[in-house]
Amino acid sequence: MKGYFGIGVEGVSKAMNVGTLFRTAHAFDAAFVFTVRAQYNRREGALVDTSDTPRSVPTYHFADLESFRLPQGCRLVGIELSEQAIELPSFRHPRQAAYVLGAEREGLSADLQSLCDYVVKIPMRFSVNLGVAGALVMYDRLISLGRHAPRPVAEGGPTEPLPLPAFGEPIYKRKQRIRERALARQRGG
């Protein structure tokens, strides 16, 4: 799968939720994880983050929104239950993305939502645990951007293997321009 993603939280106070999210992000091969305005106790989070994500994945802690930074070209995607949010099954994930979830009771702040390129929601009756919501978004990214065999029409698994990608000969722009000029001269001359 081309591209990368990171995932983080804003204003979260429950270290176990952050630890669960970070462990799941590590399992889904996140490029980085982060917190913004959060009270994250790494020792408490480690009780559920048995993969010890901060020792394997770049981990950033931003004290406030003014210090919050993302890699150049990375799109910020908020995860929030709101009327204006795009439903996750209809969302095309950016190739370079950072997903952010809000605090357990308050959700994403209006200030952080205003920084988001997109806000998505998981279509459900009420909010679920922060770690579960993050896992659903990361899984959706995997199945929508990953390269997998197509689902069969009937129930069960695919009956054919995933076809190997086919690549043509390399295209050299300089040689292509020389050929185009030669063809233009032949037509004109």
Side-chain angles (χ1 to χ4, degrees):
M1 183 164 60
K2 292 185 178 182
Y4 65 83
F5 80 94
I7 193 163
V9 296
E10 179 203 23
V12 174
S13 60
K14 296 180 180 176
M16 301 289 248
N17 284 342
V18 179
T20 300
L21 179 71
F22 284 5
R23 181 179 188 278
T24 305
H26 189 186
F28 275 108
D29 201 25
F32 60 94
V33 294
F34 63 93
T35 65
V36 179
R37 296 193 294 211
Q39 300 167 8
Y40 177 56
N41 180 319
R42 183 175 170 191
R43 178 169 281 171
E44 284 180 43
L47 296 173
V48 290
D49 181 7
T50 55
S51 70
D52 198 8
T53 300
R55 291 193 66 189
S56 302
V57 177
T59 304
Y60 304 97
H61 300 289
F62 301 100
D64 49 42
L65 284 178
E66 291 73 35
S67 63
F68 180 54
R69 299 285 181 268
L70 290 174
Q72 188 173 358
C74 185
R75 310 289 235 137
L76 184 59
V77 180
I79 303 165
E80 182 66 39
L81 276 176
S82 74
E83 290 296 318
Q84 302 79 20
I86 303 163
E87 289 198 343
L88 186 60
S90 302
F91 179 65
R92 172 131 356 243
H93 294 265
R95 190 179 260 187
Q96 300 163 238
Y99 302 93
V100 63
L101 298 107
E104 294 87 349
R105 292 182 186 206
E106 293 84 35
L108 287 177
S109 70
D111 290 339
L112 196 133
Q113 284 188 54
S114 71
L115 297 177
C116 291
D117 295 290
Y118 306 100
V119 177
V120 298
K121 64 182 171 185
I122 302 164
M124 55 192 164
R125 289 182 177 177
F126 48 85
S127 67
V128 293
N129 174 276
L130 179 132
V132 171
L136 289 169
V137 170
M138 290 183 277
Y139 181 73
D140 187 76
R141 178 182 175 85
L142 174 74
I143 62 172
S144 66
L145 294 181
R147 191 162 151 49
H148 305 283
R151 291 182 191 244
V153 176
E155 62 185 45
T159 56
E160 298 127 24
L162 179 66
L164 294 173
F167 300 99
E169 291 295 314
I171 297 174
Y172 300 100
K173 292 292 183 182
R174 185 169 182 247
K175 288 182 180 179
Q176 187 178 15
R177 284 192 298 270
I178 292 170
R179 264 187 262 129
E180 288 170 358
R181 284 188 207 124
L183 284 171
R185 277 189 290 244
Q186 288 176 355
R187 285 187 220 131

